[in-house]
Amino acid sequence: MIKIFSGEEINALYTHTIQHEGLPLLTLIENAATKLAEEFLHVYKNCGRPIVCIAGNGDNGADALALSLELASNNYAVSVFLIQGKQSLSSACETMRNRVASHPNIKLQEVISGKIEFPVLTPKHIVIDGLFGTGLNRTPEGAYRSIIQYINQSQCEVVSIDLPSGLYPSENLMVDRDAIIKATYTYTLEYPKRCFFFAENAPFIGQPGVVQLGLSSSGKDNLPTRHYLIEENTLATIFRRRDRFAHKGQFGHGLLIAGSQGKMGAAILASKAALRSGIGKLTCHIPYRGETALQAAVPEAMLDLDVNSNITTMVDNLRQYDVIAIGPGIGQEEETAEMLIDLFSNASDKTFVIDADALNLIANHKSLLDLVPKGSILTPHPGEFDRLTTHWDTDEERLEQATYFARTHGLNIILKGAYSSTCTPAGSIYFNSKGNPGMATAGSGDVLTGIILALLAQGYDPSTAAVLANYFHGEAGDLFAARSSETALIASDIIDNLPEVFKSFEDR
């Protein structure tokens, strides 16, 4: 997993690298400038547009000045606007300032105190934003706020270094959003920042990228964090390949409770996804009128029919199942809510996957939450989660509450959306690196439920199953989008691409 650090943790990592790896801060800044210049030149190759660097007095300003030197060495016309403010320049910033001042192809303007005269900016300009980085400790005010707003109003393209100035790496609940640079590109240093994963910050971050500096590997390994970005190399060490002499009994028997009148498609999608994800045996409990539809669409599944023709009202013989998933298309009738009480009470030793209508039934009958077996996996989208708790204005607030919710109730929460996040009972958060906007389509969540059910049945612990399923689901959607279209993607396409996802892990 890729660790995601807070601003304080990142500063500690810099200090560790400097003290234990023998890498001076200036070397790290020069490394960053080289990598940043590569990214800049890739996007703006031979553009011939005027470049204005807005640098602050700290180490982020030093990064911006070093990038200006790199660009000037590549024959770009660069003007540097260095704002010192009331504080002196950091040691690194002063060194870079002196180099910039002596460079013949860079025009340097310094503002030490007093009124700031803004450089003229037009839509043709490219601004390098190096005002503030991860060390920002208060909302930009006064002249700083004014120049941020001026840059935003200029309609020029902006390349932010590490973070858009005014945005914090971790917590932005109280931030003044009128005092944040709206970047076109943000090239963050070494690691993605937590703020990158929230929709409300997207207008400021623009297109994100990560450049490597060479910070201490041992420092990264030993520095604790609760936040991770899921990546394939780590998951490949967790993924279980099948023994030549394996049999279906080793891969679990799962029960899927799904479907109601007019919603049998949800049961079919979840069933197909579970079978495509390696479950040993699958039984589907459905209203008895759905028998023909499901048996014809998914002949590999066994059926357990409810006594009711249209909804689910009673499930028996639970001991034979290893895990249980419930929710896709079951409806929200009161009889189904009563069934949930019996189900959770009579299968308290099972791990559940709870999705869709089952989540809404719990939201409408809050006492049901106390009956959900510990370790179970809930998969709400933002609206469903808000119904379980209360309305949240931002994704950051919602994730904080989901983390608290998971720890308090001893559950795993997959909060669905871009960078779908898995919150575990231990307090860790795993952001998914896969997935695309095309997956925001009917039935996509049903497919995820089926994948999780299959992985649980095969013996993965709940937190691991949630993280793996989230990744497999996103990767299958990405495969289709890469070959065809995000817009044209439907839930069945995710299922159809699951074999290729699993094959890539089997072949590693």
Side-chain angles (χ1 to χ4, degrees), residues 1-6 8-18 20-21 23 28 31 35 188-193 210-228:
M1 302 294 176
I2 298 173
K3 290 183 174 181
I4 300 171
F5 296 119
S6 67
E8 293 79 10
E9 291 164 346
I10 292 166
N11 291 336
L13 185 55
Y14 271 91
T15 300
H16 180 92
T17 301
I18 294 166
H20 297 278
E21 303 289 335
L23 278 176
L28 293 173
N31 290 347
K35 298 293 185 180
T188 196
L189 305 180
E190 199 72 23
Y191 283 108
K193 307 303 186 283
V210 180
V211 298
Q212 299 299 320
L213 310 184
L215 296 182
S216 169
S217 296
S218 62
K220 299 172 193 176
D221 293 340
N222 295 326
L223 190 61
T225 182
R226 294 190 301 117
H227 302 89
Y228 302 86

Side-chain angles (χ1 to χ4, degrees), residues 253-261 263-268 270-272 274 279 281-295 298 300-318 320-321 323-331 335-336 338-340 342-343 352-353 358 449 453:
H253 187 182
L255 173 64
L256 172 66
I257 305 170
S260 61
Q261 185 178 22
K263 297 180 180 179
M264 287 309 301
I268 291 169
S271 300
K272 286 185 174 181
I279 195 168
K281 292 190 294 182
L282 176 67
T283 295
C284 300
H285 183 94
I286 59 173
Y288 74 75
R289 277 191 182 174
E291 178 180 10
T292 301
L294 200 142
Q295 198 75 80
V298 195
E300 299 88 349
M302 297 179 290
L303 299 188
D304 179 53
L305 301 179
D306 200 274
V307 295
N308 192 291
S309 62
N310 297 320
I311 62 172
T312 298
T313 60
M314 182 184 300
V315 186
D316 295 321
N317 303 317
L318 297 173
Q320 62 182 307
Y321 307 113
V323 291
I324 301 171
I326 182 168
I330 62 172
E335 291 173 274
T336 305
E338 293 172 2
M339 177 273 298
L340 273 180
D342 292 335
L343 182 68
F352 280 76
V353 186
T449 295
L453 176 64

Side-chain angles (χ1 to χ4, degrees), residues 1-4 194 197-198 225-231 234-235 238 399 402-403 406 411-434 461-471:
M1 302 294 176
I2 298 173
K3 290 183 174 181
I4 300 171
R194 183 171 176 260
F197 302 104
F198 303 125
T225 182
R226 294 190 301 117
H227 302 89
Y228 302 86
L229 181 64
I230 304 170
E231 51 94 28
T234 303
L235 297 188
I238 300 171
L399 182 64
T403 306
L411 301 170
N412 295 277
I413 308 294
I414 297 180
L415 195 55
K416 295 186 290 196
Y419 303 111
S420 291
S421 52
T422 301
C423 306
T424 72
S428 296
I429 302 170
Y430 297 88
F431 293 101
N432 192 15
S433 59
K434 298 294 182 178
D461 71 81
S463 295
T464 300
V467 169
L468 281 169
N470 211 1
Y471 185 91

